[in-house]
Amino acid sequence: MSTLSVNIAEFLKEYPPFNHLNSDELIEVSSNIGVLNLEKNKTLFTVNDKLHDSFYVVASGVVNLSFIVDAEETLLNKCYVGDIFGLRPFFAKNNYMMTAKAREDSVIYAIPIRVFKPFVSQNPSVLDFLLESFASNTKNSFDRENKTKLITDTVYTDHTSNEIQFFQNLSYHRTPLKIEITSTAKDVAQLMTDNLVNSAIIIQQNNPIGIVTDTDFRSKIATGRIPLSSSIEKIMSSPVVCVNESVSVAEAQLLLLKYNISHLCVTVDGSDKSDVKGVVSEHDLIVAQSNNPGVIIKEIKKALTPKDLKLVREKLTDLIQTSISKNIPLTHVYNISGEIIFAINKRAIELAILDLGSPPSRFAWLSIGSQGRKEQLLLTDQDSILVFEDVAADKYRDVKDYFIKLSKRTTAILEKVGFMTCPNGHMASNMSWCKSLSDWIKQYNSWMKTPGEQSNEISSIFFDYEIVFGENKIEDSLTETIFNNVKNNNLFFDYLGNDALRKNPPLNFFKKFNLEEEGENKGKFDIKNKGIMPLVDAARLFILSMQIKGVNNTYLRFKQLSITDPKYSEIYLSCAEAFLVLSKIRTLEGLKNDSTGQFISIEELSKSDKEKLKNALAPIRDLEELIKDRFQLTQFS
């Protein structure tokens, strides 16, 4: 055992996933490691290079990971001491999709894939680390102090997350070639050729007992080891690794890695004791990687028609549905959905500009309401405002006319994509909500200094916004106006507080659901207005009153409030969890019925689901009492 191997083992044991290996395993890995000296600005691999037989750990120095988008090199991440990169050989067969370049003189440890593979398949902690890291593409969750991070080598742009790989639907071959075990190798080879497939499932009573692939024929028949006239049983691989239909991209990739195979058999229940439904191949996984968020964003950027954007939105719906069925945390789903929906909105604006020509002044398009909070999973309505910079008085009319036309074209495109127009007219295409920065500042000043005087115009969703397109400084000016007005503004919070309490309670005195008493939804429960909106309104109210900037999402608002206002942290945290539960119930309802999910048929819920819904509604009462106590509501009561 060399001193170098011992020193490398001592270094590696400080960093995941190597800290999950014992001393002997660390020495075995360290003894096979190559040490590379990478000079400043020298590359280890570049985009489209063939995959290496090793992955890498930074021993000293810094390595930049970058990729090319639209002919521009973009820095994805910086790898410091202990960081792992170049893992693509574990997960795919196609070439590198990143460039790794030394930012300064660096020492890199090259760890052979063949040496490390056994520890991935044998050690659950190592496998979990790779799965978690591959799924999230973030600093790994096993390292709470953020000593290190693991970067996959798949490109994800516009700050979208690789976590979607964990729950992304996997398309596979659904009409597999099924062969009885009594067949000969020659017959199977002919059938595979006739059907243009590279694998066949060997069955007995329709249950899979083995699999043969092109590789089996090349390595066993073509080499002369086994005669072509032999029974297929002689060359098949058995037992076959089976998965169920809900297998994700990342799960499938790691199974292929764990068992060192190239195909998986899809069965009804994921075991070899049920009917065969299809086959997953390595090629299917490579194709599936084109459906990650980065590629979806790229599709959006290239879209030229509303139809193109609609197809992308339908992909997102599929991803949301799959994620819900896999119990992926709703917070992750919101992140991905929010980024993709913002990209769709941005492209709709760009298409409108392509039609109308360049804008006459700088402007900002803001999504408001649920879209501005990044809480829109279902195809609900669109809410937006447009703010253009102040211009000379003689140009004002022409400038506003342009932006009204731009807004109308944009909202029309979004309607074709599937986002309904707002029934309350809260859209930039409405002349009232498309105006100059000075006019918007006057509007917010009026709402906040004299609330209630024009109550038909104010809607609290105007205080939930995020920029989709345009000048960030314009958005900053609005935010500054709002937070200047919240200081010592008891009248405004009196108004907002009463507005938050105005909705009918979700449960009556006898703890029964307050159902709709008339109309087409008679007998149903309005989960939006009686469950979700009270939480949304209260979170907004407290965030504004405590002057907390930059937190728009309701769940995150309650989490932040629990830190800022620890005395009532238990209430805030209960409300945060309640918001997720209610949102999930609504989303499931909407996906099931292809609706907004607003109205729930209580009779169709199971007993346990009814209890879950009631429990999620319970914190609303505590929240209402806290509002009454905190704001001493009087004038608008």
Side-chain angles (χ1 to χ4, degrees):
M1 184 193 314
S2 71
T3 304
L4 178 61
S5 296
V6 173
N7 290 340
I8 292 174
E10 285 295 313
F11 170 84
L12 291 179
K13 73 178 184 180
E14 298 297 321
Y15 302 97
F18 309 106
N19 59 348
H20 297 296
L21 305 183
N22 62 38
S23 298
D24 291 340
E25 291 169 336
L26 276 171
I27 290 296
E28 183 178 345
V29 172
S30 301
S31 300
N32 289 278
I33 280 178
V35 181
L36 308 175
N37 290 299
L38 204 61
E39 296 177 1
K40 182 178 180 179
N41 294 327
K42 293 294 183 181
T43 59
L44 187 56
F45 53 79
T46 62
V47 175
N48 289 327
D49 277 359
K50 289 186 177 179
L51 299 180
H52 299 178
D53 58 7
S54 299
F55 68 98
Y56 302 99
V57 181
V58 179
S60 68
V62 182
V63 175
N64 285 350
L65 299 181
S66 60
F67 55 87
I68 308 293
V69 178
D70 298 331
E72 289 186 15
E73 186 172 11
T74 301
L75 180 66
L76 178 69
N77 221 307
K78 296 176 183 177
C79 296
Y80 297 95
V81 173
D83 288 350
I84 298 175
F85 67 98
L87 277 155
R88 190 164 185 78
F90 270 116
F91 301 110
K93 300 295 184 184
N94 49 339
N95 297 343
Y96 286 111
M97 298 180 72
M98 291 184 185
T99 292
K101 181 190 292 185
R103 186 184 176 195
E104 57 188 61
D105 290 348
S106 303
V107 175
I108 309 298
Y109 292 152
I111 303 177
I113 300 288
R114 62 174 176 76
V115 173
F116 200 69
K117 258 190 177 182
F119 302 116
V120 176
S121 58
Q122 296 166 12
N123 191 318
S125 296
V126 175
L127 185 62
D128 287 346
F129 172 85
L130 291 177
L131 179 57
E132 177 77 12
S133 301
F134 180 77
S136 65
N137 196 33
T138 62
K139 290 184 178 179
N140 69 77
S141 62
F142 296 89
D143 184 3
R144 298 304 177 189
E145 295 179 358
N146 291 325
K147 278 186 187 175
T148 185
K149 55 190 174 295
L150 183 151
I151 307 297
T152 70
D153 296 303
T154 306
V155 176
Y156 300 90
T157 60
D158 282 17
H159 309 292
T160 51
S161 168
N162 188 16
E163 65 200 4
I164 207 164
Q165 288 275 336
F166 183 65
F167 58 87
Q168 176 186 334
N169 249 343
L170 176 58
S171 296
Y172 56 87
H173 188 55
R174 295 176 184 274
T175 54
L177 183 60
K178 293 184 280 190
I179 304 293
E180 292 291 338
I181 194 169
T182 53
S183 303
T184 65
K186 181 180 179 180
D187 292 337
V188 176
Q190 188 62 54
L191 284 168
M192 287 172 63
T193 302
D194 293 343
N195 287 275
L196 302 175
V197 295
N198 62 7
S199 66
I201 302 294
I202 314 305
I203 61 170
Q204 200 166 39
Q205 297 178 336
N206 207 36
N207 292 345
I209 60 170
I211 186 171
V212 289
T213 67
D214 284 347
T215 302
D216 293 317
F217 281 99
R218 287 197 302 271
S219 62
K220 299 172 184 176
I221 300 292
T223 58
R225 287 170 50 200
I226 299 175
L228 191 57
S229 57
S230 300
S231 164
I232 196 63
E233 188 176 8
K234 296 287 186 182
I235 69 165
M236 74 180 187
S237 298
S238 181
V240 61
V241 179
C242 297
V243 295
N244 62 33
E245 293 178 278
S246 63
V247 67
S248 71
V249 173
E251 290 166 333
Q253 284 178 312
L254 285 170
L255 284 170
L256 295 185
L257 169 67
K258 181 176 181 178
Y259 295 105
N260 197 26
I261 54 178
S262 60
H263 292 74
L264 301 170
C265 180
V266 181
T267 61
V268 172
D269 65 5
S271 77
D272 60 4
K273 304 299 184 213
S274 61
D275 290 354
V276 174
K277 302 286 287 184
V279 175
V280 175
S281 69
E282 287 180 317
H283 175 73
D284 294 327
L285 294 175
I286 292 169
V287 170
Q289 289 179 15
S290 68
N291 273 340
N292 64 55
V295 174
I296 290 177
I297 296 287
K298 214 164 187 181
E299 285 180 23
I300 293 169
K301 287 181 176 180
K302 292 179 179 178
L304 296 175
T305 66
K307 185 179 179 181
D308 295 338
L309 292 175
K310 185 175 183 181
L311 291 173
V312 176
R313 183 59 182 81
E314 288 169 354
K315 281 187 181 181
L316 176 59
T317 299
D318 291 340
L319 291 172
I320 291 169
Q321 189 151 19
T322 306
S323 70
I324 297 287
S325 69
K326 286 180 174 289
N327 290 317
I328 300 302
L330 210 61
T331 50
H332 295 346
V333 187
Y334 276 140
N335 288 339
I336 290 171
S337 177
E339 291 293 339
I340 292 176
I341 289 173
F342 266 44
I344 290 172
N345 276 262
K346 183 178 180 181
R347 188 55 181 161
I349 298 165
E350 290 171 345
L351 291 177
I353 290 174
L354 286 172
D355 283 343
L356 290 174
S358 298
S361 70
R362 290 177 293 183
F363 73 101
W365 181 288
L366 306 179
S367 277
I368 62 173
S370 62
Q371 208 171 84
R373 296 189 301 270
K374 291 190 175 178
E375 294 169 0
Q376 191 177 52
L377 299 181
L378 299 166
L379 273 170
T380 51
D381 59 338
Q382 47 178 301
D383 297 291
S384 58
I385 64 174
L386 188 145
V387 189
F388 55 88
E389 68 179 350
D390 294 329
V391 295
D394 61 332
K395 294 181 179 178
Y396 182 90
R397 181 180 292 277
D398 289 340
V399 170
K400 180 159 183 172
D401 283 347
Y402 171 90
F403 285 116
I404 289 289
K405 288 177 184 176
L406 175 70
S407 301
K408 286 183 176 179
R409 291 203 183 199
T410 301
T411 53
I413 290 170
L414 292 173
E415 188 175 13
K416 289 177 181 177
V417 172
F419 297 100
M420 299 174 290
T421 55
C422 175
N424 298 313
H426 294 151
M427 298 182 297
S429 54
N430 182 332
M431 288 186 67
S432 298
W433 313 132
C434 174
K435 47 196 175 188
S436 70
L437 178 57
S438 289
D439 286 344
W440 270 113
I441 289 174
K442 289 176 185 174
Q443 180 70 77
Y444 276 99
N445 284 336
S446 173
W447 280 336
M448 300 182 74
K449 290 177 180 177
T450 57
E453 289 186 9
Q454 294 178 313
S455 59
N456 62 313
E457 285 189 10
I458 189 173
S459 174
S460 51
I461 67 167
F462 285 95
F463 294 89
D464 298 336
Y465 57 78
E466 187 160 334
I467 188 167
V468 171
F469 187 99
E471 291 289 321
N472 287 304
K473 288 182 179 179
I474 293 177
E475 181 191 30
D476 293 342
S477 295
L478 284 187
T479 301
E480 186 179 354
T481 298
I482 291 170
F483 281 92
N484 282 338
N485 275 317
V486 297
K487 297 169 184 174
N488 303 314
N489 193 340
N490 295 331
L491 190 65
F492 174 63
F493 291 115
D494 193 300
Y495 182 89
L496 272 193
N498 278 287
D499 189 54
L501 298 176
R502 203 161 279 133
K503 296 176 177 65
N504 292 327
L507 302 173
N508 62 25
F509 180 78
F510 300 102
K511 304 296 183 184
K512 301 283 187 181
F513 292 102
N514 272 331
L515 307 179
E516 297 299 291
E517 296 179 354
E518 55 186 23
E520 59 179 316
N521 295 299
K522 183 178 180 180
K524 292 185 176 181
F525 179 69
D526 185 347
I527 194 170
K528 176 186 174 182
N529 286 315
K530 291 189 174 74
I532 295 172
M533 291 313 298
L535 295 172
V536 170
D537 291 342
R540 179 194 305 111
L541 171 65
F542 283 109
I543 281 287
L544 286 173
S545 71
M546 295 182 199
Q547 301 182 43
I548 299 171
K549 296 181 182 178
V551 186
N552 289 341
N553 179 270
T554 301
Y555 173 79
L556 294 179
R557 281 174 167 174
F558 279 122
K559 296 287 278 188
Q560 182 61 50
L561 288 167
S562 71
I563 297 169
T564 306
D565 189 19
K567 182 179 179 181
Y568 300 103
S569 62
E570 189 174 338
I571 294 176
Y572 296 133
L573 291 174
S574 295
C575 289
E577 292 307 313
F579 175 77
L580 293 183
V581 171
L582 295 173
S583 297
K584 186 172 182 179
I585 292 172
R586 179 185 178 183
T587 303
L588 286 170
E589 181 74 16
L591 292 171
K592 181 176 73 173
N593 298 312
D594 192 24
S595 67
T596 64
Q598 180 173 347
F599 296 96
I600 307 291
S601 178
I602 299 296
E603 294 177 358
E604 294 179 10
L605 296 179
S606 65
K607 185 177 179 181
S608 63
D609 284 343
K610 286 178 186 176
E611 285 304 308
K612 189 184 295 184
L613 177 55
K614 278 187 180 179
N615 291 337
L617 296 170
I620 293 175
R621 178 63 62 87
D622 293 332
L623 197 58
E624 289 174 344
E625 293 303 316
L626 183 57
I627 291 172
K628 291 174 185 176
D629 179 65
R630 177 68 59 85
F631 298 100
Q632 299 294 308
L633 307 178
T634 54
Q635 181 165 333
F636 296 101
S637 299

